[in-house]
Amino acid sequence: METERKYNMVADVLRITAILAVVIIHTTTRTLEASHYELLKIPFTLFLNQIFRFAVPLFFIISGFLLELNHHKNENYFVYFKKRVNRIFIPYIFWTCIYYFLVYPLNRDPNFINSIFRGDASYQLYFIPSLIIFYLLFPFISKYYKIFCNKWLIIFLGLLEILLLYLDYNVKPFYLYLPLRVAVLNYFFFLSGMVVSRNFDRFTNFIKRWNKLLLSGSLIFAVTIFFEGLSGYLKTKNYLTFYSSWRPTVFVYSFFIGSFLYWFYSKISFGNIIKEISKLSFFVFFIHVIILEALWKTIGIKLFEISNGSIAQNIFYDPSYFLLVSVISFAIAYLVHKIPFVSKITG
């Protein structure tokens, strides 16, 4: 008999937050591209694009947290792998086919299998192969938790991660096979989620005591990341200076804002609706790029041309574009989940 899964409502709210952060990064990215990266004309667009860079790090933290929360020491590895990975692998293959053959057929890698391993059939899919790497390693890490996650080794691994991020961002990007590169630059987020799960009471006491400091740190690093991306691009004309989520500043910022949001959300009574919305979020992760592309080609580019360079765009256009993509994506997810068994394929 399968043990009932432990449920954490705040983790669900954080997952929804991370999904929405991914959507706003992608919608503002389209605006930045359309403006030909004239960042000084659209500072609000860049600001939104930068302050939500915690999205993918937060996903890795949540994944480590929930895996450790529901892991059973005596669970067979293959049973664990089938149960956990099938939840993401089947939808991942389905959407890889959709993007590879239908949405971006001209931009695809000639080798379909390579696209599966790299996660490059569409630009949001790269996250999944890296997550599967962590899924594969998780039972081993959990079994030897006291070795991998003792205090001094965790401090060392955290400092090592910051060093790797610094070298990748400030010196020279690592030319590793794509899922390995993302995994190397995010391993500490995943481990941190496991540590929080094992030390949950200490974590909640910490964020309760230091919530004001966490908020202040979040605001300071949000502004820092914005100016880092802006000044870096103006100096180098390299758009990766603001597109990259793998920076030491984003690393620290993700922990500040992730911890603060956990404290903030824990003070709110959301009700059962959060659990239902969270079930739709994985589907939204996959489909929102299709909705983004469709809206851009029909009305988005026309509205952008009208508002380009004006106050209206900075205040109205980007939030409206984001909301429209999000609402339509969640609406489609809701309808699809009403069809029996389809969500097992589509996410």
Side-chain angles (χ1 to χ4, degrees), residues 215-226:
L215 175 59
S216 300
S218 299
L219 295 174
I220 290 170
F221 274 95
V223 174
T224 301
I225 289 166
F226 165 70

Side-chain angles (χ1 to χ4, degrees), residues 57-186:
L58 187 58
F59 269 130
F60 282 120
I61 294 173
I62 295 169
S63 298
F65 174 80
L66 292 178
L67 280 177
E68 185 63 34
L69 182 68
N70 290 284
H71 183 60
H72 307 295
K73 294 182 180 179
N74 297 324
E75 186 175 35
N76 180 274
Y77 179 82
F78 293 102
V79 173
Y80 152 82
F81 185 74
K82 180 180 178 181
K83 185 167 54 177
R84 296 303 194 281
V85 175
N86 278 356
R87 292 174 183 169
I88 64 171
F89 189 69
I90 292 176
Y92 171 65
I93 294 298
F94 172 81
W95 287 104
T96 295
C97 291
I98 295 295
Y99 282 102
Y100 186 88
F101 293 109
L102 300 177
V103 181
Y104 296 125
L106 300 179
N107 299 331
R108 68 192 188 192
D109 189 307
N111 189 328
F112 176 66
I113 300 300
N114 194 40
S115 282
I116 292 177
F117 281 105
R118 289 177 57 86
D120 59 4
S122 179
Y123 49 81
Q124 86 276 30
L125 298 180
Y126 76 92
F127 165 76
I128 303 298
S130 303
L131 183 61
I132 292 175
I133 291 175
F134 290 132
Y135 271 39
L136 288 167
L137 294 175
F138 169 77
F140 180 75
I141 299 173
S142 184
K143 182 177 181 179
Y144 298 100
Y145 175 86
K146 291 184 179 180
I147 297 176
F148 286 106
C149 298
N150 75 73
K151 180 175 67 175
W152 297 112
L153 184 57
I154 279 291
I155 292 173
F156 169 76
L157 291 174
L159 294 174
L160 177 62
E161 184 81 285
I162 293 174
L163 175 62
L164 293 174
L165 291 168
Y166 173 82
L167 294 173
D168 180 75
Y169 182 72
N170 295 98
V171 181
K172 186 179 181 180
F174 297 141
Y175 292 106
L176 295 173
Y177 195 64
L178 185 58
L180 290 177
R181 179 178 185 274
V182 176
V184 166
L185 296 176
N186 287 275

